[in-house]
């Protein structure tokens, strides 16, 4: 028993430690978010409901079969239901039957309803997949924001480490009389400002991790963290394709476009169903019924001629066979006038078809516009990233020159701090433009049908 308890506690400790130390990769974040998102679960329920509706539509082709029975008791004058003769006594009656019916023709509405239910199931599947696509992009964006903020924090910490070295060197220069005491105070102010930047950067990292965790619907913000890794701009051939090529490819697989097109087809099926109400319907039916009464009297057969009639009451089983019967037939119903409701429903369905078609065209225009904007954004962000890198290189050279001049007393502390601030800003801009460029590439690749990864 002691061994079992120790083993359980060991597993609990190991499991808790693993959960606290887990570092989430982008792929893990995307997978978890898709599998645990509440909206995804709701859309999955809608899909399940659509599949049930599909079963309902199939059931319309099958005949119905129903059984019924009635047990009654009468006292006083009444008509015997089995002999149809008047009686003045207490009687107990049983009436039972089986009824079946099948629709032979109803203006093809059952056929159209079946096709409509299948299309609606497909539309719900596209709707679910489109939501998953949006989640993948949002998770990727938030994940890259966490990584970007982490790199900014590392840069801020590295800059402060450099400033600490400068502060130590400046103290030596002040003590040797090379530079005045005021320059040391300026460097100390710069160090204090960088400490504040580190605090702000830590806050940005925490906020971005919370935003990502909320998107993934993880409530343990304190122990949630992403993998400690940085990303370089991935090689991509996406810009070798024209915007029109990317748009054409997106039309083939984008789930929002498939959903919009499916909605048009569903609306067209609704119109066909409404038109079917103008045609006659034909139904076939068959009924089997039997009855029993405890006062049922039947004449005794085989009596001599001239003998007074004698009657007897058949037993329960015999009455079920004696008084049974079958009825069957075909019913035709022709719609003639119903207050314009059928025609009005057809007109409404036509409007819904036109509305769905217009929405389909609008969705294609929106996609084309989005692809064009994404294409321009990639080219623009690439140039911004390239310019930021060049600016950083120039700032580094300028800072080295400024540092040499400051250490020999040819530059005051204010000018030196300005040079350092410019290199700090340049490094921050490189990080911002790099991850913006990465995300823009991934968006454009996503419209081209490539998965959201950072490989």
């Amino acid at each position: 028993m002691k061994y079992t308890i120790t083993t359980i506690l060991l597993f609990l400790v190991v499991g808790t430690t693993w959960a606290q130390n887990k570092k989430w990769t982008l792929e893990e974040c995307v997978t978890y978010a898709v599998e645990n998102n509440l909206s995804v679960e709701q859309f999955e329920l809608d899909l399940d409901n659509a599949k049930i509706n599909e079963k309902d539509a199939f059931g319309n082709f099958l005949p119905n079969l129903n059984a019924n029975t009635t047990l009654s008791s009468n006292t006083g004058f009444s008509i015997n239901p089995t002999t149809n003769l008047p009686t003045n006594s207490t009687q107990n009656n049983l009436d039972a039957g089986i009824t079946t019916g099948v629709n032979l023709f109803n203006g093809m509405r059952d056929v159209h309803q079946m096709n409509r239910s299948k299309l609606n199931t497909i539309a719900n599947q596209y709707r679910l997949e489109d939501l998953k696509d949006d989640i993948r992009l949002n998770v990727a964006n938030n994940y890259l924001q966490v990584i970007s903020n982490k790199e900014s924090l590392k840069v801020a910490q590295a800059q402060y480490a450099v400033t600490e070295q400068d502060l130590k060197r400046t103290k030596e220069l002040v003590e040797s009389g090379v530079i005045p005491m005021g320059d040391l105070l300026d460097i100390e102010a710069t160090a204090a400002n960088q400490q504040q930047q580190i605090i702000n950067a830590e806050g940005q990292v925490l906020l971005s991790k919370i935003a990502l965790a909320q998107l993934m619907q993880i409530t343990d913000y304190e122990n949630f963290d992403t993998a400690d890794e940085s990303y370089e701009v991935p090689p991509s051939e996406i810009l070798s394709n024209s915007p029109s090529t990317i748009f054409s490819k997106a039309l083939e697989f984008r789930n929002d476009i498939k959903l919009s097109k499916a909605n048009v087809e569903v609306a067209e099926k609704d119109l066909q169903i409404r038109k079917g109400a103008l045609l006659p319907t034909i139904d076939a039916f068959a009924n089997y019924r039997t009855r029993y009464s405890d006062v049922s009297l039947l004449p005794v057969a085989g009596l001599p001629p001239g003998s007074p009639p004698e009657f007897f009451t058949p037993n329960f089983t015999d009455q079920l066979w004696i008084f049974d019967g079958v009825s069957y037939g075909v019913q035709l119903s022709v719609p003639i006038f119903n207050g314009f409701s059928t025609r009005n429903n057809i007109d409404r369905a036509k409007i819904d078809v036109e509305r769905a078609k217009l929405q389909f065209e609008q969705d294609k225009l929106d996609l084309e516009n989005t692809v064009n904007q994404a294409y321009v954004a990639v080219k623009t962000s690439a140039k911004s990233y390239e310019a930021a890198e060049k600016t950083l290189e120039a700032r580094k050279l300028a800072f080295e020159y400024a540092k040499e001049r400051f250490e020999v007393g040819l530059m005051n502390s204010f000018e030196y701090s300005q040079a350092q601030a410019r290199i700090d800003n340049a490094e921050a801009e490189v990080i911002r433009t790099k991850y913006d460029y990465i995300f823009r590439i991934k968006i454009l690749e996503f419209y081209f049908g490539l998965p959201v990864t950072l490989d």
Side-chain angles (χ1 to χ4, degrees):
M1 182 66 179
K2 182 183 294 184
Y3 175 77
T4 303
I5 295 176
T6 303
T7 303
I8 294 175
L9 291 176
L10 179 60
F11 274 111
L12 288 175
V13 170
V14 172
T16 302
T17 304
W18 180 85
Q20 291 178 347
N21 296 332
K22 178 175 176 56
K23 302 286 187 176
W24 293 76
T25 65
L26 173 61
E27 289 74 16
E28 291 174 335
C29 289
V30 169
T31 301
Y32 185 91
V34 169
E35 292 178 351
N36 295 274
N37 186 272
L38 292 179
S39 295
V40 169
E41 293 179 4
Q42 292 174 351
F43 281 20
E44 287 176 341
L45 292 177
D46 292 339
L47 178 59
D48 292 339
N49 190 62
K51 293 179 179 178
I52 294 174
N53 292 336
E54 192 172 338
K55 293 180 181 179
D56 285 340
F58 176 75
N60 292 334
F61 291 94
L62 303 178
N64 59 67
L65 181 64
N66 299 286
N68 58 82
T69 182
T70 302
L71 180 63
S72 62
S73 180
N74 296 320
T75 301
F77 180 82
S78 62
I79 301 298
N80 189 315
T82 59
T83 64
N84 206 29
L85 297 175
T87 181
N88 192 3
S89 62
T90 299
Q91 59 176 316
N92 297 308
N93 304 310
L94 175 68
D95 187 89
I98 298 177
T99 302
T100 183
V102 62
N103 176 260
L104 301 179
F105 181 77
N106 67 346
M108 300 294 289
R109 279 177 287 178
D110 287 344
V111 175
H112 297 319
Q113 184 63 46
M114 183 66 188
N115 293 332
R116 194 249 186 218
S117 63
K118 291 180 179 179
L119 288 171
N120 190 52
T121 299
I122 295 173
N124 276 274
Q125 183 66 55
Y126 290 150
R127 180 168 169 258
L128 174 61
E129 294 303 322
D130 183 52
L131 174 62
K132 291 180 180 179
D133 288 344
D134 292 340
I135 292 174
R136 292 184 182 100
L137 280 180
N138 289 334
V139 169
N141 186 26
N142 282 266
Y143 188 90
L144 288 175
Q145 188 61 56
V146 173
I147 302 302
S148 175
N149 289 337
K150 281 187 173 184
E151 283 203 20
S152 296
L153 174 59
K154 291 179 181 178
V155 169
Q157 292 170 337
Q159 291 168 347
Y160 178 69
V162 172
T163 301
E164 283 187 315
Q165 295 297 321
D166 290 341
L167 186 60
K168 181 180 179 181
R169 176 62 178 162
T170 302
K171 288 180 180 179
E172 296 174 353
L173 293 176
V174 170
E175 292 173 356
S176 62
V178 178
I179 59 176
M181 185 66 182
D183 288 349
L184 175 61
L185 297 176
D186 286 338
I187 298 298
E188 289 177 343
T190 298
N193 181 62
Q194 289 180 340
Q195 286 180 317
Q196 182 63 41
Q197 291 177 352
I198 290 175
I199 294 174
N200 293 336
E202 290 173 341
Q204 291 299 317
V205 170
L206 178 59
L207 290 175
S208 59
K209 288 197 296 184
I210 290 176
L212 177 58
Q214 288 178 333
L215 183 60
M216 297 169 60
Q217 297 181 356
I218 293 177
T219 57
D220 188 8
Y221 304 138
E222 295 181 357
N223 295 318
F224 176 79
D225 199 2
T226 59
D228 293 327
E229 53 186 339
S230 61
Y231 295 95
E232 298 302 324
V233 176
S236 177
E237 300 295 330
I238 190 64
L239 290 180
S240 62
N241 300 280
S242 66
S244 59
T245 301
I246 299 174
F247 170 64
S248 298
K249 187 72 177 295
L251 284 177
E252 298 176 0
F253 77 92
R254 283 290 299 173
N255 288 300
D256 51 351
I257 299 300
K258 292 180 180 180
L259 172 61
S260 187
K261 183 179 180 180
N263 286 337
V264 174
E265 295 173 345
V266 169
E268 290 173 342
K269 290 301 177 184
D270 285 334
L271 176 58
Q272 292 178 320
I273 293 172
R274 298 292 185 272
K275 288 181 176 180
L278 295 174
L279 300 176
T281 59
I282 303 175
D283 297 289
F285 64 90
N287 300 312
Y288 171 81
R289 303 203 66 79
T290 187
R291 57 177 64 93
Y292 163 81
S293 176
D294 60 359
V295 295
S296 296
L297 299 177
L298 293 179
V300 176
L303 294 176
S307 300
E310 296 181 13
F311 297 89
F312 75 100
T313 300
N315 61 36
F316 178 80
T317 304
D318 290 340
Q319 286 195 44
L320 293 182
W321 290 109
I322 293 172
F323 298 119
D324 70 341
V326 176
S327 63
Y328 48 86
V330 177
Q331 179 180 348
L332 173 66
S333 178
V334 180
I336 298 176
F337 180 74
N338 52 17
F340 304 111
S341 62
T342 301
R343 288 291 182 183
N344 291 339
N345 287 335
I346 292 175
D347 291 339
R348 291 189 185 95
K350 289 180 179 179
I351 292 174
D352 290 340
V353 170
E354 292 303 315
R355 181 182 288 113
K357 288 181 178 179
L358 291 174
Q359 185 62 51
F360 179 44
E361 294 301 321
Q362 183 63 54
D363 290 341
K364 289 193 292 185
L365 288 175
D366 291 342
L367 177 61
E368 184 177 19
N369 183 50
T370 301
V371 169
N372 286 326
Q373 289 181 348
Y375 191 89
V376 173
V378 170
K379 298 184 71 173
T380 302
S381 59
K383 293 179 180 178
S384 297
Y385 176 54
E386 183 181 357
E389 285 189 314
K390 291 180 179 179
T391 300
L392 177 59
E393 290 300 319
R395 295 301 183 195
K396 286 181 178 179
L397 293 175
F399 179 72
E400 291 299 324
Y401 179 68
K403 186 175 182 179
E404 293 175 359
R405 298 188 64 198
F406 174 72
E407 290 180 348
V408 296
L410 297 178
M411 175 181 286
N412 59 42
S413 59
F414 176 77
E415 294 173 332
Y416 179 72
S417 297
Q418 290 295 103
Q420 190 173 38
R422 283 191 288 268
I423 195 174
D424 294 345
N425 293 334
E427 288 180 333
E429 185 65 10
V430 167
I431 294 174
R432 187 194 68 80
T433 55
K434 181 180 76 170
Y435 282 98
D436 181 68
Y437 181 34
I438 293 174
F439 183 63
R440 300 297 177 185
I441 290 176
K442 293 305 171 182
I443 289 179
L444 197 58
E445 289 180 342
F446 183 72
Y447 285 121
F448 197 64
L450 301 178
V452 181
T453 64
L454 294 178
D455 297 334

